[in-house]
Amino acid sequence: MMKLKTNFLAIALLSGVFMIGCQPTSPPTDGSQPDLHEDHDHADGHAHPEHGPNGGELFELGAEEYHAELLHDDAAQTVTINLLDSAAKEAVTIPDQEVTLNVKADGSGSQFKLTSTGEGEANSTFSVKDAKLIELLEAEHADITLVVTIAGKQYRGEMHHDHAHGEEGHDHEH
């Protein structure tokens, strides 16, 4: 009987400790909110960055384990990918010399290899000069998938790229 009481008390005590340790934290009472990311909030209750440190569009890789920033220079016909950390602020390096962009636009799909702009085992920026890729990115609707391996794990980040005519920051000559 004594052993039963001891077991019951141990379970009750552990349950109490568990319940206290798992209480949600309250937001600050001074009205300030923690700034996880500077851009905007989503329905899941936490903020996500909209743009990378260079103003490019972002791919979310994994459950926001990493991000990748897509930049394109229409005049130079170059597309650049920057690999970034979970906050989309700092560069992340990989040993691979290339990453892959799969682009589906205007009913067809194409694959592009972007090569490292650096040397050696610490690559975070990848680029390609390709007029066709620029044209596909400028299509009114383009589905873009980035395929990259970071820390031994393959990630596929998807982005739906919409260019509405007259959109700020994008010139369309037709």
Side-chain angles (χ1 to χ4, degrees), residues 23-30 32-34:
Q23 295 298 316
T25 58
S26 303
T29 55
D30 65 358
S32 67
Q33 293 294 321

Side-chain angles (χ1 to χ4, degrees), residues 5 27 68 131 143 158:
K5 273 187 173 177
D143 291 317
E158 296 181 4

Side-chain angles (χ1 to χ4, degrees), residues 42-111:
H42 282 264
D44 62 4
H46 66 278
H48 296 266
E50 272 185 23
H51 299 285
N54 301 299
E57 296 176 75
L58 288 178
F59 291 93
E60 183 178 306
L61 301 172
E64 285 193 273
E65 295 168 67
Y66 301 98
H67 289 88
E69 179 181 31
L70 172 75
L71 300 160
H72 56 95
D73 181 339
D74 296 351
Q77 298 183 334
T78 59
V79 175
T80 302
I81 294 286
N82 295 313
L83 299 180
L84 303 167
D85 63 4
S86 62
K89 303 258 186 230
E90 301 294 324
V92 170
T93 61
I94 62 172
D96 295 343
Q97 294 295 313
E98 64 183 27
V99 298
T100 303
L101 274 181
N102 297 314
V103 182
K104 202 186 260 189
D106 300 327
S108 65
S110 300
Q111 186 174 77

Side-chain angles (χ1 to χ4, degrees), residues 3 9 16 39 58 69 89 105 127 135 160 174:
K3 187 173 184 172
L9 286 174
D39 295 304
L58 288 178
E69 179 181 31
K89 303 258 186 230
S127 186
E135 181 182 319
H160 182 72
H174 295 280

